[in-house]
Amino acid sequence: MESSKGRPVWRGEVKQVGTITVTDDTTGKTVKLPLLEGETGPRAIDVRKLYAETGYFTFDPGFTSTASCESAITYIDGDEGILLHRGYAIQDLAENCDYLEVCHLLLRGELPNPQQKEDFERTITYHTMVHEQLSRFYSGFRRDAHPMAVMCGVTGALSAFYHDSTDILDPRQRMIAAHRLIAKMPTMAAMAYKYSVGQPFMYPRNDLSYAENFLYMTFGTPCEAWKVDPVLARAMDKIFILHADHEQNASTSTVRLAGSSGANPFACIAAGIASLWGPAHGGANEAVLKMLEEIGSVDRIPEIVRRAKDKNDNFRLMGFGHRVYKNYDPRAKIMRQTCYEVLDVMGIKDEPHLAIAMELEKIALEDPYFVEKKLYPNVDFYSGIILKAMGFPTSMFTVLFAVARTVGWISQWKEMIEDPVQKIGRPRQLYTGATKRDFIPLAERG
Ligand code: ACO
């Protein structure tokens, strides 16, 4: 595979390194299954022929032990707290790149050289406007609609506007769809915000960077010249980088599963947005801020921690814990630093939520319950405080996550379509319902 200008995209291979023998203790029958190894990370047992050879399924609700695909995009070592995109550490990318360079890396496989960077920026910039008719969709929503509801709708609607990039078998159309999605998502997100506050939509400006343009479309008005603070634009850009991709999480797997049936990319990304909305996933940053507001003061923390540990209480410490990280989420560390920078530039001293967050983090990191279960702050723990300081309402937090994650979703979707072993995703089940019953006519049902 080639990157945009001929440099090869680095991609290793899955190797078979042995076999594993599984014995059915009830019958004594054995089956040998191939043992696979990628470039790094845990080995995987290849169970593709298991059903054909034994008549058995594997059972793994929540996919805690299942690798659903091969991927060369993102690698996470959850025990060590490592996150790599195409081999580059997230810390290096967040420190040295802008978001569009990271988009180029994820989508095209390599960091751009200066010419590629210029070309890519131009391509994205010149796709930021949305079809004028799309703006009428917004007025169909109630003013108090959650912006994630609006985003699910308008993103799905893109497939009704851009027919020339929905042929998933055409590599050029796939790339155009990717560019359109990365470019238009901030415009649509800013429009969702503007609609909710009753202000006019702002057209994108081609002289601004990706992050600046988003802030301009969100907070600018036609009434006055608008100037972005470079620290805030950089913070926004960093937040986008930190959320750009995260391997086979719930929303990415949703995008892949939706796309595995051959659905068009706009519809698949709308499915990803729906999945991201939940509080266990992208909705957590909104939930963190609500939780900090509810806690209200530092002296209530012990009570909150007690509730989080109580088995009979459904309450969880939002922004803590992660399916994969059993160490400090590397993105959370960068987010914490960005948080200080933003509060400083905004002149916000003694931010009450930050004080509660820091104390909560300190107590939880020392508490045996959290230590034993390896529950550390995740990326969402600090992002809500930054976004609130920047002026975003909490309902927009997950929307920003969706804007940033679009590149990850579409890169993973594209990788899936280009994967020769790809087939429709169709899990099986352990059936626990009634077996065949005799039909009862309506009149005889008691
Ligand atoms: N507060 C208190 N206890 C917790 C928390 C928490 N935040 N998270 C997990 N636990 C406990 C569970 O009760 C469970 O305890 P048990 O073993 O005694 O039953 C144990 O830790 C393992 O938790 P699971 O739910 O089995 O872990 P899973 O991997 O399924 O869940 C998840 C991960 C969903 C992120 C969970 O930690 C959670 O709900 N966290 C809060 C929500 C959140 O911050 N989500 C954002 C995730 S990051 C992202 O999407 C960008």
Side-chain angles (χ1 to χ4, degrees):
M1 196 197 283
E2 298 255 300
S3 65
S4 55
K5 287 275 162 68
R7 266 195 298 155
V9 172
W10 202 95
R11 181 165 200 134
E13 268 183 19
V14 168
K15 296 179 276 287
Q16 183 177 341
V17 289
T19 54
I20 196 154
T21 306
V22 180
T23 308
D24 176 347
D25 292 334
T26 62
T27 62
K29 278 192 188 156
T30 61
V31 59
K32 263 191 202 317
L33 299 167
L35 195 56
L36 305 180
E37 193 172 74
E39 285 304 316
T40 182
R43 291 174 167 181
I45 303 165
D46 182 347
V47 294
R48 277 175 289 188
K49 297 214 171 95
L50 184 70
Y51 179 59
E53 287 180 13
T54 65
Y56 296 160
F57 295 145
T58 56
F59 182 59
D60 185 19
F63 309 122
T64 50
S65 298
T66 296
S68 62
C69 60
E70 284 181 27
S71 182
I73 300 176
T74 291
Y75 173 73
I76 304 172
D77 183 331
D79 293 326
E80 297 297 324
I82 291 171
L83 168 61
L84 308 178
H85 292 318
R86 306 270 189 196
Y88 295 105
I90 188 67
Q91 293 87 340
D92 289 336
L93 296 172
E95 201 54 49
N96 303 303
C97 293
D98 63 35
Y99 176 67
L100 285 187
E101 281 177 80
V102 176
C103 288
H104 189 287
L105 175 69
L106 292 169
L107 185 64
R108 300 194 176 183
E110 289 295 341
L111 283 169
N113 63 29
Q115 185 58 52
Q116 288 169 334
K117 179 170 158 62
E118 200 183 312
D119 292 347
F120 190 65
E121 279 172 1
R122 192 182 157 77
T123 303
I124 298 302
T125 303
Y126 279 80
H127 279 98
T128 48
M129 266 204 300
V130 293
H131 194 290
E132 195 60 20
Q133 238 177 301
L134 194 79
S135 60
R136 297 202 208 132
F137 267 73
Y138 287 79
S139 48
F141 287 97
R142 281 170 50 142
R143 286 268 177 211
D144 61 355
H146 195 289
M148 281 300 273
V150 176
M151 291 302 284
C152 287
V154 290
T155 307
L158 290 178
S159 40
F161 285 88
Y162 301 104
H163 300 142
D164 59 342
S165 53
T166 51
D167 178 359
I168 63 160
L169 300 177
D170 178 347
R172 197 175 150 270
Q173 291 200 29
R174 286 201 292 272
M175 200 50 108
I176 295 172
H179 294 155
R180 282 183 168 148
L181 278 157
I182 296 166
K184 294 183 200 306
M185 205 55 86
T187 313
M188 298 189 315
M191 288 166 80
Y193 172 71
K194 286 298 197 197
Y195 183 71
S196 73
V197 291
Q199 290 182 4
F201 297 145
M202 300 294 283
Y203 285 111
R205 264 177 48 187
N206 289 355
D207 61 320
L208 298 177
S209 74
Y210 190 88
E212 284 171 342
N213 194 31
F214 175 61
L215 291 172
Y216 161 73
M217 290 186 291
T218 306
F219 297 120
T221 69
C223 312
E224 57 187 6
W226 183 86
K227 215 168 167 325
V228 68
D229 185 301
V231 176
L232 296 190
R234 182 64 190 134
M236 189 76 260
D237 197 72
K238 235 181 221 184
I239 291 173
F240 286 157
I241 292 175
L242 296 179
H243 288 90
D245 190 49
H246 212 229
E247 208 224 60
Q248 309 310 320
N249 54 80
S251 57
T252 302
S253 298
T254 302
V255 170
R256 279 186 178 256
L257 196 55
S260 75
S261 70
N264 78 71
F266 304 107
C268 295
I269 301 303
I273 293 174
S275 168
L276 186 74
W277 194 355
H281 191 9
N285 51 16
E286 191 175 337
V288 170
L289 211 75
K290 281 196 185 131
M291 177 187 77
L292 295 175
E293 272 160 12
E294 272 164 34
I295 297 175
S297 75
V298 170
D299 37 288
R300 284 202 58 221
I301 292 176
E303 173 199 336
I304 287 298
V305 172
R306 214 173 18 254
R307 279 192 63 197
K309 297 191 307 189
D310 184 354
K311 276 233 160 281
N312 302 316
D313 191 330
N314 285 338
F315 175 78
R316 281 188 170 198
L317 223 47
M318 287 292 132
F320 263 77
H322 196 278
R323 170 60 62 80
V324 182
Y325 291 118
K326 302 302 167 200
N327 201 325
Y328 214 111
D329 180 340
R331 303 167 301 170
K333 282 189 185 154
I334 306 169
M335 203 62 98
R336 184 164 58 168
Q337 183 54 33
T338 309
C339 187
Y340 293 137
E341 288 163 15
V342 168
L343 295 181
D344 191 40
V345 79
M346 302 296 286
I348 301 172
K349 293 200 172 51
D350 307 323
E351 211 285 334
H353 295 127
L354 183 65
I356 298 169
M358 284 174 63
E359 187 60 19
L360 193 58
E361 180 182 351
K362 188 167 154 281
I363 292 179
L365 287 176
E366 287 165 0
D367 190 293
Y369 173 93
F370 291 88
V371 174
E372 276 157 28
K373 293 187 190 299
K374 299 186 176 170
L375 298 168
Y376 291 86
N378 59 48
V379 68
D380 289 323
F381 192 63
Y382 281 101
S383 64
I385 299 171
I386 308 178
L387 297 174
K388 182 174 176 249
M390 289 170 93
F392 290 101
T394 37
S395 60
M396 279 296 286
F397 292 179
T398 316
V399 173
L400 301 187
F401 193 159
V403 170
R405 184 54 60 84
T406 295
V407 68
W409 288 331
I410 200 67
S411 304
Q412 300 267 354
W413 169 84
K414 187 171 158 297
E415 183 180 63
M416 178 201 64
I417 300 291
E418 290 165 5
D419 184 347
V421 303
Q422 186 270 329
K423 47 168 82 174
I424 187 167
R426 178 41 170 107
R428 302 305 298 266
Q429 62 176 12
L430 265 179
Y431 180 66
T432 54
T435 50
K436 178 83 178 70
R437 294 200 272 185
D438 291 333
F439 180 76
I440 308 166
L442 181 59
E444 292 170 28
R445 284 175 228 155

